[in-house]
Each structure stands twice: as C-alpha cells, then as structure tokens.
Amino acid sequence: MKRAGVLMLAAVPVAIAATAYGISPSTHDDPRPAHPSASAATQRRAPEGLAAPAMKNLAQQLVASAENSTLDWHSAYGYVQDIGDGQGYTAGIIGFCTGTHDLLVLVEHYTAAHPGNGLARYLPALREVDGTDSHEGLDPGFPAAWRAEAKAPAFQAAQDAERDRIYFDPAVSTAQRDGLGPLGQFIYYDAIVFHGPGTDGFYGIRERAMRRARTPAEGGSEKAYLNAFLDIRRATMRAKHPGIDTTRIDTAQRKFLDEGNLELRTPLVWKVYGETYKVP
C-alpha cells in the first residue's frame, strides 16, 4: 500500500492504487503469424501466471486476508475506515486512501466517466485533504456515500481498473521480466500494494534485493532471490514501524516459499495476524 505501514495491535490494514481509468487487456498478442483461417480468439494467448483468471482471484484472496481479514475480497468494495495510520480514510478493494492521492484520482476518473455520482460532491474536500490525515469536508457523510456508491457495478469496475493499471499489471509484468513464477509475481504484487511504487516503495525494495541476489532472469536462484526480497521488505516495514505485524510475510509468503511452492499451487494454508486461512 502506499502507506508506510500499519501497527497491528488489532488487525485490519489495507492497501492502495491510483491513476488512468480503464482496464488493461490481460491477454498478449501472439507474435507468430496466424493461419489465414484462424479466428481472432486463437490468435491470442490466454493470460499466464498470476494474470490467469483463477490465479488472479487467488491473489486477491491472499491480499484480502491481510488487508481486510477475509477471503471474500468482493465484499471490500464498500469498505471505508480511518485505521489510524495517518493516511485519512482507507477504502475499497485495495485500500485507496484520502491522504495518499490514489483515492482522489479514482474519484476524479470515475466522475469524469459518470458525472453526478454520489462521491462527486466530495471532490473539493478530497483535493484539500490530499497528502494529510484530515477529514475536513468529508465528515460526516463521506463514508456512507462511499458505501452507497460501492453498490454500483460501474464504481466496482473503476476500483478494479485502478488496481490493475497501477498495481497488479506492473507488478506481474515486472516479475515476469525478472523470471519469477506465480509466487514471485504475488510477492511483488503484495509489496506494491502495501508499499506503493517508487524508489522508497516497491521499486526501491526490488533494487536493493537485486543488489543482494541475482534474479532468475539473470541466472540466479528464484528461491534465493525471493528470500532476499522478503528479507529486505520485512526490514523496510520494521524500520518505518518497529511494532508492525509482518505475518503477511512470515506465515504466508515465506511459508509458501519455504515449502517450495513457487507455482502457488492450491491447496494453500496460511496465517495472517494469528488467523488461519485456507484455499482448497
């Protein structure tokens, strides 16, 4: 998430997203020449790795276990709460925050496509509080307005689009370039969700990890590189917040890695904040 982190005394963190409106294609053009009689469908490859529909759903379940303490990630469209992390209201499926610009961008783009929606009247206040933890101009009505708008399929699609364009798609494509399989792709995705992009976020963690271990694309061991990445990510979390709960790494991602489950094959069993989750 683009937040620095959340001190887990009780357990509900949440993450992030931001920018251009519209869903990126999940398929890839096949560079091989197609037979003249081939249909358009056969000229395109199915999504691979974490981008495959079932795997993407699994990734969202894993993130939701840490971000919303549930596997039902669809239930989080209407989530909105100030969790006391200094980022104002955290809301939606990936923890858009009023204090970190992404929630503002989401509402701006949604309003451009759907004028007169129930959140549009809060845009002046969202611009004023951007970068702060203030609720000025948002209370008392903003949480109820968010929950009401979240019932609209168009707003759910807007949340999906922001998540994909800025977080899911970049994380997966970067992991694929680094030669990482589904587990590594998820590890990157969870990192960009929690830390945000940028040199002080996901990309900075990746850069430091690449100085410590070679990626598979560079001829290195996938397990060794991912261990280095998780070590650095965990240290980054604790450097910012010494009391932070790191079980989303320790008893989830690290557990899968120790088990050698680089393909993120189910069934999966993991713990976050002391709660056990299972995907058959």
Side-chain angles (χ1 to χ4, degrees), residues 17-23 96 101-124 126-127 146 149 154-167:
T19 223
Y21 191 77
I23 300 177
F96 305 97
H101 194 61
D102 59 315
L103 191 148
L104 169 60
V105 172
L106 167 64
V107 176
E108 285 180 334
H109 290 155
Y110 179 61
T111 299
H114 302 277
N117 70 79
L119 295 172
R121 66 183 182 274
Y122 291 100
L123 277 172
L126 289 171
R127 294 184 181 111
W146 180 280
E149 198 65 32
F155 189 50
Q156 294 176 12
Q159 292 190 40
D160 291 346
E162 295 293 333
R163 172 203 63 200
D164 289 352
R165 187 173 180 88
I166 302 305
Y167 299 97

Side-chain angles (χ1 to χ4, degrees), residues 5 11 27 38 51 60 64 82 99 104 136 174 178 182 184 195 213 227 237 239 251 253-255 257 262 278:
T27 54
Q60 289 305 125
D82 188 328
L104 169 60
E136 187 173 356
T174 300
D178 289 345
H195 297 276
N227 267 314
M237 292 171 70
T251 52
Q253 296 168 46
R254 185 87 71 178
K255 176 178 183 290
L257 186 58
L262 296 173
K278 299 178 181 180

Side-chain angles (χ1 to χ4, degrees), residues 54-267:
M55 294 299 292
K56 187 173 184 179
N57 184 68
L58 175 61
Q60 289 305 125
Q61 290 178 302
L62 289 164
V63 167
S65 71
E67 297 297 320
N68 303 96
S69 296
T70 181
L71 294 182
D72 181 14
W73 65 270
H74 293 92
S75 67
Y77 286 112
Y79 172 86
V80 55
Q81 183 179 358
D82 188 328
I83 60 177
D85 63 347
Q87 306 297 341
Y89 281 117
T90 294
I93 59 167
I94 203 120
F96 305 97
C97 294
T98 57
T100 53
H101 194 61
D102 59 315
L103 191 148
L104 169 60
V105 172
L106 167 64
V107 176
E108 285 180 334
H109 290 155
Y110 179 61
T111 299
H114 302 277
N117 70 79
L119 295 172
R121 66 183 182 274
Y122 291 100
L123 277 172
L126 289 171
R127 294 184 181 111
E128 286 296 319
V129 303
D130 191 25
T132 77
D133 63 355
S134 174
H135 292 189
E136 187 173 356
L138 298 176
D139 289 341
F142 178 76
W146 180 280
R147 286 190 289 268
E149 198 65 32
K151 297 175 183 178
F155 189 50
Q156 294 176 12
Q159 292 190 40
D160 291 346
E162 295 293 333
R163 172 203 63 200
D164 289 352
R165 187 173 180 88
I166 302 305
Y167 299 97
F168 187 84
D169 292 349
V172 171
S173 63
T174 300
Q176 289 173 335
R177 287 196 302 273
D178 289 345
L180 301 176
L183 175 59
Q185 293 166 29
F186 174 72
I187 286 173
Y188 273 21
Y189 177 46
D190 190 69
I192 201 170
V193 160
F194 187 89
H195 297 276
T199 56
D200 60 346
F202 162 69
Y203 290 108
I205 294 170
R206 174 177 173 263
E207 182 179 344
R208 295 195 297 276
M210 292 174 73
R211 290 199 293 264
R212 183 178 297 184
R214 291 183 299 167
T215 67
E218 297 170 322
S221 160
E222 185 170 7
K223 188 171 183 179
Y225 171 74
L226 289 175
N227 267 314
F229 184 94
L230 290 178
D231 285 346
I232 292 168
R233 183 186 168 191
R234 189 176 189 272
T236 299
M237 292 171 70
R238 293 205 160 183
K240 291 182 177 180
H241 292 284
I244 198 170
D245 184 300
T246 59
T247 52
R248 68 194 296 154
I249 293 174
D250 306 333
T251 52
Q253 296 168 46
R254 185 87 71 178
K255 176 178 183 290
F256 305 148
L257 186 58
D258 288 345
E259 292 168 347
N261 191 358
L262 296 173
E263 297 301 313
L264 206 58
R265 292 191 179 94
T266 55

